[in-house]
Amino acid sequence: MSLRQIIILITVALAVMVVLPGLGRYGAYIVYVVAIASIGALALNLLIGYCGQISFCHGGLLGVGAYAAGNIGNAGQDMVVALVGAGIVTAFVSVMIGLPALRLRGLYFAISTLAAQFILEYLFRLIEPWTHGVSGLLIQPAPFFGLDLSNDRGYAAIAVGLLVMSLIAVSRLLRTDLGRRFILIRDSEIVARGMGVNVARTKLWAFAISGFLAGMSGGLLAFTSRIAAPEAFEIALSVDYVAMIIVGGLGSLPGAVIGAGFVVLLPEVAQRIGETFGAATQTAALREMVFGLLIILFLIHEPRGLNSLASRAVRRLRRTSGPLSNNKRSSASDLEMTQARL
Amino acid sequence: MLDVSGLSVRYDSVIAALEGIDFEVGEGRIVALLGPNGAGKSTLLKAIAGMLPFEQGEIASGKAVFDGVLLNGKHPAAITRSGIALVQDGRQCFRNLSVGENLKAASFRHSKGAEDRLQLVLTYFPILEEFYARPAGVLSGGQLQMLVIGMALMIQPRLLMLDEPSLGLSPVMVQSVFEIVERLHQDLGMTVVVAEQTVPRLMEIADDVYVLSRGHSVLHAPPDEIDEDRLQSLYLS
Amino acid sequence: MRKSLVIAAFGALLASPSNAVSADINVCIWGTITGPDALVNGMSYGARDYFEYLNEAEGGIEGHKVHTVLLDGRYKLDEEQKNYRRCVSEENAVFINGWSTGAVKSLRDQIQSDAVPFMTDSHSSEVLDPKKFPYIFMAGPTYEQQILIGLRSAAKAGGKRVVIMHANNEYGRAPVEVVRKSGAIEEMGLELVDQIEFPFDTQDLTGQILRVKNIDPDLVFVQASTPQMLVVLRDAAKVGLPASLFMGNMYNISPAIPEQLGASAEGFRSIQLYADFGSDIPAMKDINKYGESNTIEKRDTYYMKGWYQGIAMSTAIRNAVKKAGGVPDDLVAFRNSVRDEMENLPSLDTGGITPVVNYANHQGPTQARISEIKGGSYTAVGEWIDAE
Amino acid sequence: MFVLQLAVAGIAIGSVYALIALGIVLIYKCSGVVNFAQGGYAMLGAFITYGLTSVGLPSVIALVLAIAVMGGLGALTQILVLRPMLKAPVVAVMMATLGILITFRAVCLLIWGPDQIGFPALFPIGAIELSGIFMTYNYIAAFLLSAILCAGFLAFYHYTPIGLMQRCTADNTRAALAVGIHVSNQVTIAWTASAMLAGLGGALLASLNGLSLGLSNIGLVAFPVIVLGGMTSLPGAVVAGLVLGILQAVTDGVLTPAIERFLREHTDIYSVGTLQQVIPYALLVLVLLVRPQGIFGTKESERV
């Protein structure tokens, strides 16, 4: 991410913040739900899209973050402390889940994360002292750097701010040696090993960093919904997150945000459209169907995700608008381009 | 019989593997296709057999014609049926299936006279009869090479293409592989293309030699015009 | 660029039509339209239909049309949270009717700070407290009270050993834990010999039922919704346990049980709080009248519950409108006034769906009776019992 | 006696797990695709059977028709969705099958609504009591049918020309292409067979357990089964299915009560919750760590 892009990003974020007071609570709610999901999707994209470790327990990890943040917050700590704490706890759990990755590859590892998801769900219901079992952990509002921001607009500001910070941090990370090692492992573990990469340690770093971000995202979710309950972190949520990064674009930072927006907002938009004609059951069915079909269609026609579609559209615009265009670039070099942009 | 002209191949739409190759095989001839590792020999054979689309490759320009029929864009199964058998590198067979099943599988598309061909293959390769009910995975490298050539024969080809059959074999095995190629040529009048890096034995039986380097065709000559030194210099060019 | 897509999508969302502006009185309902316990969603349809009925038959409340929104919470916490925010801040609802125990519990503090009257479909004791949660109202006895009513009937019948089965969610586990820890079971002279938890989205409970069979209790009380009860009774029949051994709560009176299980549902008992659909009561006339020109989605006791909730909510709204001499412009004042009127509802006639109620306790009716499946339909056995 | 009764229930359910898992393994062997939608095919098969009986067809004919429809649907999804995704990354293909699952659920929701439905009796209602062990006709029929089908399918796979082509495709795609086998057609056949197995399994399951959208969850239960059996072993899937069915029943009936009794006597903990839901997955993790290729599977080497 270039300096220019960072500036654009921050400007957009500031613009969102300026607009926020004008939004209703529902509007603000939508903003922070998308922003929080974006942080979660970013975490998962780091793992799957950049390091090639397919995970189906992201929902469970967000849950770990939520419970951790809730417990720290309820103990009277500042929200910032709670979020960082949640990040550390979740990073630890994520590394635990990642340990089998040292022995298992690809599909087998993916299925072991499926197991992790179900075991986490079970533990959420079981460990009453930390999770309050099925009742869920009620979470008291906490100050943010001492400020009282415990309302929907305040949460939106925090979430957007954190998202921008995470985006910048991850894009910086990808430029370091560690980041490059992630990509090497994704492309071929054997080649990476041949080049002297400590595959085990690098993978665990990916799990730790991804877990940290997931924990923060889950923690924010907990504070905004005032409860961390097991039903909120089930396998369906993990599936949603995988959908986000694939729809947005594997191995693409903007893709995480776009994918999160898509997956969170699409059902809502479909619902609103459905409400204008159909009965409630049909609306619900239609909304699911649109979701399922669009995912399939995207995967067939735009396997590199919405981000690639968007960047191609932008390029086409530039091409028609001025001499800066580069007509020689074939569509096949998109992948390299997206990677170069990062 | 086989006529390839101006053939260019790309992988992943960007990496050029072959540029403007002309390659001709006359009926009843043994053609040697030489070149260093990565010269594009396998790619050329795969392009003819229609296997490229399964490895992210595509024919960018040029054409391959077999007996007047255009091969471009045809499914490998159809090309196989029209009488071209490719013995791929790495001795590709079904290692979890028995030797017999391997041979049976190869004759699915050419069931007519399969029994006779099976007998023929077993006479050529008695070792296959011995291991008939055992999984192919237990065979040694040389035996595997026999099996895959046997499988190719079950297809009842008129054009047999072998991709680096000697790779990884002991000199004795290499010797017997080429003996078999020669026998096939003599007994059955089969047209054969053999791709190799460098094998003096091949020069003795070949009628025609093509040399590839870095995706380009660098030489086409009868075998007596080619010696080890000339090849080395071509490979390094 | 990256954000602009999101913002565009979200702008489109905000710009999408919201009909809230034209109506004077907004009521917002969310239930499980689709989702694991959709079988009992008649109560959401019933409440909506009552307001629609008012619009058709009486031109709304005091001449003001009521605009009702029915949303689908899908029994998912985040979806219900979203629905709540939409109801409170976008639909400007003066009364909200919401679904699951988990969601209502997580929202109880916000309901308090938003000061919006809230009718909960959940009967959890943890959201019932006129002092701590003055805006939350319930439509009958709590789950805990229902469990005690059920167990008491077992004690009366001379039973001794009881088992409680429950789903692994808030609705299932929490009330059972409260009852067990209260010691009330022992006070009745009963012994709780086992407590069995099972998955809420269960498809097969043979193992658990065999565990019950092994214990051989006098009564099994099941704290679950109808879909799980279907599994329980079906698997009980598989291993030769009679349905009469089992008892469910208010959410197990469903025609689906005798319809799908036939003879193996005979003798199953559950707690009834509201009149059956089709009973000979005044409210049924209104429902039939409404049904002449509208579809009635569910014809069961939960529809009746919803209808009754509609009566209670609308009466409070009517009283508030009357008092102010029109719909107040200030939504906050309107909500507060509705809350006050709700609390002060004088002996409310629910058209026979429940005995006459008042809402000083925020609980409405506190009476229940036991209903048993006999000859393929639910039949009341015994009189109304007061939960207290 | 008690344990025997549990085992009977476990075997009945387990044999259906095996049927569902067979389909997943079949597709995976042939094309390397992990089909998360298998539960969706099972659910759809059951719903279509139900839909056909509700328009008046006898249940056996409805079942046969539904299985045929499922076969067509399996082929169609392979051609429309999977073929264009040949070059897509593994995780994208996984997600596409999840998309299929979501779509199937939505279709069923739209047509048949969210409520649990009483499934028509495929087999006579009633039970045999053998010295205290109840065996419903449903159980017996589900077990027998699954057993016959598994055996029949394995025989088909090993002794017919199509079976041989399937095995060739699964063994080595390049070699299969070279001997003239139309690989993508073989993959289509695998999807067809797999969808038919799933449809039948779904209908059997619905006759045991009733019908609702929740039936599609069976697909997730099948994953521990296939991993325990080894992703590439068809007989392994059958054995693992039975083992898992019995294990779950025993967990529900014996293990959980024993643990809870112990905990209640010696600690403050009263319940261990729904242990049977995690037992298969806990076992899965263990097996994966000790023997990553599963109990019956063969080791695959990573391609560079």
Side-chain angles (χ1 to χ4, degrees):
Chain A
M1 200 180 277
S2 67
L3 189 62
R4 204 181 105 238
Q5 279 168 318
I6 291 176
I7 293 170
I8 294 174
L9 190 62
I10 291 174
T11 321
V12 173
L14 285 177
V16 171
M17 305 239 185
V18 171
V19 180
L20 268 181
L23 290 175
R25 281 182 54 193
Y26 178 76
Y29 173 79
I30 295 285
V31 168
Y32 71 70
V33 167
V34 172
I36 292 172
S38 300
I39 301 174
L42 193 63
L44 188 62
N45 213 347
L46 191 65
L47 200 59
I48 299 183
Y50 290 100
C51 197
Q53 308 300 307
I54 301 170
S55 162
F56 282 100
C57 63
H58 206 60
L61 277 183
L62 292 176
V64 173
Y67 284 112
N71 279 313
I72 300 170
N74 282 355
Q77 297 294 331
D78 195 280
M79 200 197 286
V80 180
V81 179
L83 291 181
V84 172
I88 293 168
V89 171
T90 315
F92 179 73
V93 175
S94 176
V95 167
M96 291 281 117
I97 293 171
L99 282 177
L102 306 185
R103 216 176 126 80
L104 305 174
R105 262 190 285 278
L107 183 69
Y108 287 87
F109 177 69
I111 290 178
S112 85
T113 63
L114 202 64
Q117 169 70 36
F118 286 107
I119 291 168
L120 281 176
E121 278 180 30
Y122 173 72
L123 292 178
F124 292 159
R125 288 192 161 86
L126 193 68
I127 312 178
E128 300 243 351
W130 295 339
T131 65
H132 286 231
V134 289
S135 310
L137 176 68
L138 289 175
I139 295 161
Q140 300 310 315
F144 186 79
F145 277 122
L147 298 170
D148 177 23
L149 291 175
S150 58
N151 58 64
D152 287 327
R153 292 187 190 104
Y155 291 141
I158 296 173
V160 171
L162 264 180
L163 171 61
V164 170
M165 279 168 53
S166 316
L167 276 171
I168 295 172
V170 172
S171 77
R172 292 276 144 188
L173 167 76
L174 290 170
R175 288 174 152 201
T176 61
D177 273 354
L178 185 62
R180 278 190 278 270
R181 282 199 291 260
F182 288 167
I183 294 169
L184 264 178
I185 287 181
R186 174 193 67 187
D187 291 343
S188 169
E189 240 175 75
I190 291 175
V191 171
R193 196 167 286 131
M195 292 174 71
V197 173
N198 183 336
V199 171
R201 191 190 297 163
T202 311
K203 275 188 185 174
L204 292 185
W205 268 113
F207 282 101
I209 297 168
S210 165
F212 185 85
L213 280 175
M216 289 221 304
S217 167
L220 262 179
L221 200 63
F223 278 111
T224 57
S225 54
R226 304 280 294 273
I227 188 170
E231 290 114 77
F233 304 107
E234 290 183 342
I235 177 75
L237 188 69
S238 297
V239 170
D240 278 354
Y241 272 89
V242 177
M244 283 177 203
I245 60 165
I246 291 178
V247 168
L250 278 177
S252 143
L253 296 187
V257 181
I258 296 173
F262 183 84
V263 170
V264 172
L265 294 181
L266 176 77
E268 195 63 14
V269 174
Q271 160 100 23
R272 292 305 180 95
I273 294 170
E275 273 172 27
T276 53
F277 348 75
T281 307
Q282 280 85 334
T283 303
L286 234 46
R287 155 176 128 153
E288 294 297 301
M289 207 181 300
V290 166
F291 186 58
L293 284 177
L294 272 182
I295 287 179
I296 297 172
L297 284 177
F298 264 121
L299 288 174
I300 294 174
H301 294 292
E302 201 51 60
R304 281 187 219 104
L306 273 175
N307 178 54
S308 148
L309 190 73
S311 55
R312 226 175 22 232
V314 168
R315 220 171 310 133
R316 197 163 301 144
L317 276 178
R318 284 201 194 138
R319 195 173 301 167
T320 49
S321 65
L324 282 170
S325 65
N326 188 347
N327 286 323
K328 273 188 183 165
R329 281 200 204 275
S330 70
S331 63
S333 62
D334 271 2
L335 193 64
E336 290 149 308
M337 284 208 48
T338 15
Q339 276 165 4
R341 277 153 41 93
L342 302 171
Chain B
M1 187 178 212
L2 176 73
D3 195 356
V4 174
S5 53
L7 192 77
S8 298
V9 168
R10 287 178 208 296
Y11 281 108
D12 286 332
S13 321
V14 279
I15 306 150
L18 291 178
E19 284 295 351
I21 301 291
D22 295 319
F23 180 66
E24 201 180 325
V25 181
E27 181 110 42
R29 293 176 82 88
I30 295 183
V31 177
L33 181 61
L34 302 179
N37 206 1
K41 306 182 298 289
S42 292
T43 305
L44 177 56
L45 298 187
K46 281 176 189 158
I48 296 165
M51 303 281 277
L52 285 179
F54 300 88
E55 304 181 357
Q56 334 290 322
E58 54 172 356
I59 295 177
S61 64
K63 56 184 181 179
V65 177
F66 182 65
D67 278 348
V69 181
L70 187 67
L71 297 180
N72 293 31
K74 275 197 169 175
H75 192 274
I79 294 175
T80 309
R81 219 166 315 163
S82 68
I84 299 180
L86 169 63
V87 176
Q88 304 173 82
D89 57 333
R91 302 187 248 291
Q92 302 294 334
C93 63
F94 310 111
R95 287 175 200 237
N96 293 318
L97 273 57
S98 71
V99 168
E101 281 172 330
N102 268 280
L103 293 171
K104 214 150 117 202
S107 62
F108 266 137
R109 293 286 166 202
H110 319 267
S111 45
K112 221 169 74 185
E115 257 324 296
D116 298 342
R117 284 202 307 282
L118 184 62
Q119 287 315 315
L120 184 79
V121 169
L122 295 180
T123 4
Y124 270 105
F125 309 107
I127 186 78
L128 296 185
E129 185 148 31
E130 200 178 308
F131 283 87
Y132 196 76
R134 308 274 306 274
V138 305
L139 298 181
S140 71
Q143 292 164 338
L144 273 179
Q145 192 61 51
M146 309 281 178
L147 175 60
V148 291
I149 294 176
M151 286 165 71
L153 293 181
M154 293 303 289
I155 293 166
Q156 197 176 22
R158 286 180 298 129
L159 172 62
L160 176 66
M161 304 193 294
L162 304 165
D163 192 357
E164 305 216 32
S166 70
L167 196 69
L169 294 187
S170 67
V172 183
M173 285 316 295
V174 174
Q175 195 70 13
S176 56
V177 164
F178 282 105
E179 264 163 30
I180 282 159
V181 169
E182 212 172 354
R183 270 178 67 194
L184 286 175
H185 180 242
Q186 279 165 3
D187 300 356
L188 307 173
M190 196 172 284
T191 316
V192 185
V193 175
V194 186
E196 281 291 356
Q197 293 197 26
T198 161
V199 178
R201 178 77 177 85
L202 177 56
M203 291 306 168
E204 293 167 18
I205 60 171
D207 303 311
D208 213 355
V209 177
Y210 282 84
V211 180
L212 295 186
S213 179
R214 294 179 192 177
H216 292 81
S217 177
V218 289
L219 182 72
H220 174 208
D224 45 11
E225 286 179 23
I226 296 167
D227 57 31
E228 213 38 44
D229 295 341
R230 185 151 181 218
L231 267 184
Q232 283 305 325
S233 67
L234 280 172
Y235 283 8
L236 293 173
S237 69
Chain C
M1 190 347 267
R2 60 207 54 175
K3 276 281 172 55
S4 61
L5 250 188
V6 179
I7 290 168
F10 142 70
L13 182 72
L14 294 184
S16 65
S18 160
N19 311 329
V21 253
S22 60
D24 288 330
I25 298 171
N26 301 306
V27 174
C28 193
I29 301 159
W30 88 77
T32 293
I33 303 303
T34 64
D37 60 350
L39 206 51
V40 295
N41 65 15
M43 53 192 158
S44 300
Y45 287 113
R48 185 207 47 195
D49 289 356
Y50 182 74
F51 285 105
E52 295 300 329
Y53 165 75
L54 280 185
N55 283 341
E56 283 178 18
E58 299 174 17
I61 296 174
E62 297 289 301
H64 301 277
K65 285 268 181 211
V66 185
H67 175 247
T68 47
V69 181
L70 175 59
L71 301 171
D72 183 8
R74 300 196 285 165
Y75 212 92
K76 283 181 74 181
L77 195 63
D78 52 341
E79 203 66 34
E80 297 193 61
Q81 295 252 0
K82 186 160 76 188
N83 286 342
Y84 171 76
R85 283 176 172 81
R86 185 170 156 192
C87 288
V88 82
S89 89
E90 211 197 339
E91 304 292 347
N92 296 319
V94 70
F95 219 127
I96 299 177
N97 177 197
W99 190 270
S100 81
T101 301
V104 179
K105 245 180 90 176
S106 75
L107 288 167
R108 61 188 187 190
D109 292 336
Q110 286 190 52
I111 292 169
Q112 173 70 13
S113 61
D114 288 329
V116 55
F118 191 94
M119 176 67 78
T120 158
D121 287 325
S122 160
H123 287 225
S124 161
S125 66
E126 296 181 65
V127 293
L128 179 73
D129 188 332
K131 291 209 176 59
K132 265 164 77 187
F133 313 118
Y135 289 89
I136 301 181
F137 299 90
M138 198 177 277
T142 61
Y143 300 132
E144 291 82 354
Q145 290 168 331
Q146 294 177 40
I147 295 173
L148 292 177
I149 290 172
L151 294 182
R152 197 169 294 137
S153 76
K156 263 189 198 155
K160 189 91 186 87
R161 308 166 78 231
V162 295
V163 167
I164 302 183
M165 295 179 76
H166 60 85
N168 67 340
N169 59 359
E170 170 76 12
Y171 160 70
R173 192 197 282 175
V176 176
E177 293 281 288
V178 171
V179 169
R180 178 170 56 81
K181 287 176 183 160
S182 70
I185 300 176
E186 286 72 23
E187 278 169 27
M188 276 182 235
L190 296 171
E191 185 196 353
L192 178 66
V193 282
D194 206 350
Q195 182 183 325
I196 302 171
E197 181 164 308
F198 57 82
F200 184 62
D201 57 355
T202 184
Q203 300 283 317
D204 172 46
L205 291 174
T206 316
Q208 286 85 346
I209 295 291
L210 283 171
R211 179 172 168 185
V212 169
K213 192 180 180 188
N214 212 21
I215 295 166
D216 190 25
D218 299 315
L219 176 84
V220 180
F221 192 92
V222 185
Q223 170 76 10
S225 197
T226 295
Q228 299 87 53
M229 190 54 84
L230 280 167
V231 181
V232 167
L233 293 179
R234 192 196 58 223
D235 289 351
K238 274 189 211 164
V239 302
L241 286 180
S244 56
L245 185 63
F246 295 87
M247 186 185 277
N249 72 2
M250 59 179 287
Y251 286 130
N252 303 118
I253 297 193
S254 165
I257 293 180
E259 264 168 32
Q260 293 186 22
L261 298 173
S264 44
E266 285 297 304
F268 170 67
R269 287 162 293 164
S270 47
I271 309 282
Q272 182 175 22
L273 306 182
Y274 315 100
D276 285 325
F277 192 93
S279 336
D280 184 20
I281 50 169
M284 209 52 226
K285 292 191 184 69
D286 298 340
I287 294 174
N288 286 333
K289 198 168 139 201
Y290 176 76
E292 281 166 17
S293 51
N294 298 279
T295 345
I296 290 174
E297 296 275 343
K298 296 280 169 87
R299 298 167 177 271
D300 56 18
T301 186
Y302 307 110
Y303 188 84
M304 304 302 283
K305 179 194 183 198
W307 194 268
Y308 147 69
Q309 286 170 320
I311 293 175
M313 290 189 280
S314 67
T315 310
I317 296 171
R318 180 177 297 114
N319 291 350
V321 172
K322 268 188 195 158
K323 206 172 201 172
V327 174
D329 290 335
D330 180 5
L331 186 61
V332 178
F334 190 22
R335 281 172 176 169
N336 275 313
S337 152
V338 168
R339 190 213 75 88
D340 295 344
E341 292 303 327
M342 190 75 193
E343 206 166 64
N344 297 326
L345 275 186
S347 40
L348 174 70
D349 175 13
T350 62
I353 297 175
T354 68
V356 170
V357 297
N358 73 76
Y359 258 101
N361 55 1
H362 282 227
Q363 199 177 3
T366 53
Q367 291 179 313
R369 63 179 177 192
I370 291 173
S371 188
E372 185 178 325
I373 298 182
K374 282 183 184 163
S377 62
Y378 287 87
T379 321
V381 288
E383 290 307 302
W384 292 103
I385 312 163
D386 199 286
E388 285 163 356
Chain D
M1 192 55 53
F2 178 55
V3 177
L4 266 180
Q5 173 81 68
L6 284 169
V8 166
I11 289 173
I13 298 282
S15 58
V16 183
Y17 287 169
L19 261 190
I20 308 269
L22 265 186
I24 300 180
V25 172
L26 186 63
I27 290 176
Y28 178 74
K29 270 175 84 95
C30 200
S31 61
V33 170
V34 182
N35 182 16
F36 281 110
Q38 195 72 354
Y41 286 94
M43 171 191 67
L44 203 56
F47 267 112
I48 293 176
T49 311
Y50 167 78
L52 290 173
T53 53
S54 63
V55 298
L57 286 174
S59 49
V60 175
I61 296 177
L63 180 63
V64 172
L65 269 180
I67 292 171
V69 172
M70 290 313 296
L73 207 64
L76 214 62
T77 28
Q78 198 276 328
I79 293 168
L80 293 181
V81 180
L82 278 305
R83 272 195 198 177
M85 292 190 68
L86 265 181
K87 296 172 189 174
V90 186
V91 63
V93 179
M94 283 183 183
M95 193 62 223
T97 64
L98 283 168
I100 294 171
L101 176 63
I102 294 170
T103 311
F104 281 0
R105 286 180 62 108
V107 170
C108 291
L109 178 62
L110 188 68
I111 303 176
W112 290 286
D115 296 343
Q116 187 135 353
I117 291 169
F119 196 72
L122 293 177
F123 315 107
I125 297 166
I128 307 173
E129 197 188 335
L130 253 183
S131 54
I133 301 169
F134 277 80
M135 282 187 274
T136 61
Y137 293 126
N138 256 339
Y139 271 169
I140 298 168
F143 171 70
L144 286 180
L145 255 178
S146 307
I148 292 169
L149 261 150
C150 287
F153 181 77
L154 290 178
F156 171 83
Y157 199 67
H158 276 100
Y159 301 112
T160 65
I162 295 183
L164 180 54
M165 282 197 256
Q166 284 283 316
R167 283 184 295 144
C168 289
T169 310
D171 195 277
N172 185 340
T173 318
R174 278 176 71 184
L177 279 169
V179 299
I181 293 175
H182 215 292
V183 167
S184 44
N185 286 354
Q186 290 302 318
V187 179
T188 309
I189 291 173
W191 274 82
T192 310
S194 159
M196 289 168 80
L197 287 175
L200 181 74
L204 286 180
L205 210 58
S207 78
L208 288 180
N209 287 351
L211 177 57
S212 71
L213 296 175
L215 186 65
S216 59
N217 295 343
I218 182 83
L220 286 176
V221 184
F223 278 98
V225 175
I226 59 173
V227 173
L228 292 180
M231 293 288 290
T232 52
S233 167
L234 290 168
V238 175
V239 176
L242 290 175
V243 168
L244 203 65
I246 296 171
L247 186 70
Q248 274 189 320
V250 170
T251 307
D252 283 342
V254 181
L255 196 60
T256 312
I259 296 175
E260 288 184 345
R261 210 172 307 126
F262 177 82
L263 289 175
R264 283 170 198 174
E265 268 172 34
H266 300 282
T267 67
D268 292 340
I269 302 167
Y270 196 79
S271 165
V272 292
T274 52
L275 194 61
Q276 85 277 16
Q277 280 189 312
V278 287
I279 284 284
Y281 293 101
L283 197 64
L284 183 152
V285 172
L286 274 179
V287 168
L288 276 178
L289 288 179
V290 179
R291 205 180 141 82
Q293 69 271 34
I295 296 167
F296 300 95
T298 43
K299 218 163 194 158
E300 293 166 85
S301 54
E302 193 198 20
R303 266 178 251 161
V304 186

